[in-house]
Amino acid sequence: MDFQTRRHSAVATTTAKMRKILITLGILVAFTISILATWIFGGRQLSLFLDRFWTIETASSRINSVVYEGSGTGGILHVNDLALSLNDRNGPSPNVGTAKDGQLALADSGRVFAFGLPRSEAENLATVPPQGDDAFIQIRRSILSWPTPFDFNFMTGHSPSWKRHLYYRVLWTKPSGAQLQMLWRYEQYFYPGNGWASGFMTREGSTGLIRLDIRP
């Protein structure tokens, strides 16, 4: 094999290697772009899907007070210092009021759960968990946040760069075995320079009271 032939062979080999490298890089770039596009445009749905299997607990505390502010349907349920809305129509629509035995109670689908005797001095219907009740509220967040590069607030010019879901879960068990579980979902925004903001941002069709279970 003469010099000219060897040179052409080396050039062909180098060209083939470069072509393979470029093809591999192209595939990696396309894969990265597709992942980013899925994260940006489908991040909320992906987060909701993952939340069905796992969320991260950020706080848990005993319930010390319950205050209902409303007309019986809808309104606001204040659990400790958290104001949880009953106005969203995406899920359960319980009624809150005074039961036959005089206790502040919540009713849904024919089942009633009594919180406790109302305090007479309260402006709204208010109570504290009776002795022996085991009542907690948990705050959990999504394991996946999603970027929001196309969210613009033209009024303030201050837009979030990330979002995630926050969950507020009430778990209340009575000595008799009766149990109440309530779950709210909201969105939480992240602002550059300020961090994560209030976890009570709403989105139609996605946030609010999403689960209510009274047993037995």
Side-chain angles (χ1 to χ4, degrees), residues 137-182:
I137 184 163
Q138 295 178 337
I139 303 177
R140 307 182 70 91
R141 66 170 178 84
S142 299
I143 61 173
L144 178 70
S145 306
W146 64 93
T148 56
F150 304 115
D151 277 18
F152 298 102
N153 189 326
F154 295 102
M155 297 294 292
T156 65
H158 196 46
S159 302
S161 57
W162 293 85
K163 294 181 181 180
R164 68 185 180 189
H165 292 112
L166 275 191
Y167 295 86
Y168 300 87
R169 179 173 179 254
V170 168
L171 179 59
W172 195 316
T173 305
K174 291 189 169 293
S176 64
Q179 187 178 82
L180 169 70
Q181 291 192 48
M182 303 180 76

Side-chain angles (χ1 to χ4, degrees), residues 90-152:
N90 303 316
S93 299
N95 296 312
V96 182
T98 304
K100 294 180 180 179
D101 59 0
Q103 295 193 72
L104 174 60
L106 179 145
D108 181 66
S109 301
R111 294 188 174 184
V112 178
F113 185 89
F115 292 118
L117 290 172
R119 296 181 296 181
S120 58
E121 74 277 7
E123 180 180 351
N124 297 306
L125 289 173
T127 189
V128 297
Q131 187 174 2
D133 283 21
D134 197 17
F136 286 88
I137 184 163
Q138 295 178 337
I139 303 177
R140 307 182 70 91
R141 66 170 178 84
S142 299
I143 61 173
L144 178 70
S145 306
W146 64 93
T148 56
F150 304 115
D151 277 18
F152 298 102

Side-chain angles (χ1 to χ4, degrees), residues 14-156:
T14 302
T15 301
K17 289 182 179 179
M18 289 299 297
R19 185 181 295 112
K20 289 182 179 180
I21 292 173
L22 291 174
I23 291 174
T24 302
L25 287 176
I27 292 173
L28 289 175
V29 169
F31 178 75
T32 301
I33 291 175
S34 65
I35 292 295
L36 289 175
T38 301
W39 195 9
I40 292 172
F41 297 105
R44 176 180 283 105
Q45 295 304 317
L46 180 58
S47 176
L48 287 173
F49 175 76
L50 294 175
D51 289 349
R52 294 164 58 185
F53 305 100
W54 186 31
T55 54
I56 299 173
E57 183 177 308
T58 60
S60 178
S61 61
R62 295 192 67 88
I63 296 176
N64 299 314
S65 65
V66 174
V67 179
Y68 174 67
E69 181 183 352
S71 59
T73 302
I76 303 294
L77 190 67
H78 298 267
V79 180
N80 293 346
D81 58 347
L82 299 173
L84 302 168
S85 175
L86 300 176
N87 294 314
D88 302 287
R89 301 305 181 192
N90 303 316
S93 299
N95 296 312
V96 182
T98 304
K100 294 180 180 179
D101 59 0
Q103 295 193 72
L104 174 60
L106 179 145
D108 181 66
S109 301
R111 294 188 174 184
V112 178
F113 185 89
F115 292 118
L117 290 172
R119 296 181 296 181
S120 58
E121 74 277 7
E123 180 180 351
N124 297 306
L125 289 173
T127 189
V128 297
Q131 187 174 2
D133 283 21
D134 197 17
F136 286 88
I137 184 163
Q138 295 178 337
I139 303 177
R140 307 182 70 91
R141 66 170 178 84
S142 299
I143 61 173
L144 178 70
S145 306
W146 64 93
T148 56
F150 304 115
D151 277 18
F152 298 102
N153 189 326
F154 295 102
M155 297 294 292
T156 65

